[in-house]
């Protein structure tokens, strides 16, 4: 994995997209932003990005539907969810489907970077 992995950010709120991308770039990550889940899927970035950060609630295809599409396509990109309207049900659903975390907006910059670093760690080698 490159020293500055590419992070895809999907959020319908332009201010959140811009702020999140700026924050991650300040930590050395490359970013590519998308206004919708369908825009992200159409870009082919699901096979290029090292990690996906997506909002849960968006018009059209929401983040949970995006996660299901990626699973159906056997895409194993790590996903960090963010939401201003999280619930235990949503948290359990996305985590059960393999998400790294669900961050509640607004979130602390150190929290998202810590989760992102964990998501980008190579898988541990199986022990004998």
């Amino acid at each position: 994995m490159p020293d500055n992995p590419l992070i895809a950010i999907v959020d319908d709120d332009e201010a959140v997209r811009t702020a999140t991308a700026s924050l991650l770039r300040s930590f050395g990550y490359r970013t590519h932003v998308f206004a919708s889940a369908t825009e992200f899927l159409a870009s082919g970035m699901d096979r290029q990005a090292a990690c996906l950060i997506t909002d849960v609630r968006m018009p059209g295809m929401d983040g949970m539907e995006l996660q299901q599409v990626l699973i159906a396509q056997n895409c194993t990109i790590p996903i960090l969810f963010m939401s201003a309207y999280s619930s235990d049900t949503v948290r359990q659903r996305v985590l059960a489907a393999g998400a790294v975390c669900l961050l509640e907006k607004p979130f602390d910059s150190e929290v998202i970077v810590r989760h992102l670093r964990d998501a980008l760690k190579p898988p541990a080698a199986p022990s004998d």
Side-chain angles (χ1 to χ4, degrees):
M1 183 167 298
D3 290 339
N4 60 341
L6 178 62
I7 311 303
I9 301 164
V10 180
D11 197 304
D12 60 310
D13 184 325
E14 183 177 6
V16 172
R17 286 193 311 270
T18 302
T20 305
S22 179
L23 169 68
L24 296 183
R25 285 193 306 271
S26 75
F27 282 91
Y29 296 101
R30 296 177 297 137
T31 62
H32 199 116
V33 297
F34 302 91
S36 70
T38 53
E39 182 184 333
F40 169 73
L41 290 170
S43 74
M45 192 63 63
D46 56 316
R47 302 290 178 182
Q48 299 172 35
C51 189
L52 168 63
I53 299 174
T54 185
D55 193 7
V56 172
R57 292 175 119 185
M58 295 181 288
M61 181 185 297
D62 68 26
M64 292 183 293
E65 292 168 320
L66 173 58
Q67 182 184 37
Q68 292 306 309
V69 168
L70 293 172
I71 290 168
Q73 295 176 350
N74 294 315
C75 180
T76 58
I77 186 171
I79 304 173
L80 282 72
F81 280 92
M82 54 188 173
S83 180
Y85 308 99
S86 64
S87 68
D88 287 337
T89 302
V90 169
R91 181 178 309 281
Q92 290 172 3
R93 181 174 166 192
V94 299
L95 294 177
V100 173
C101 64
L102 172 59
L103 303 171
E104 293 187 30
K105 295 177 187 176
F107 45 81
D108 183 83
S109 62
E110 292 298 323
V111 172
I112 191 170
V113 170
R114 179 173 38 86
H115 283 291
L116 186 55
R117 286 180 180 147
D118 288 345
L120 295 173
K121 285 182 185 173
S127 58
D128 292 329

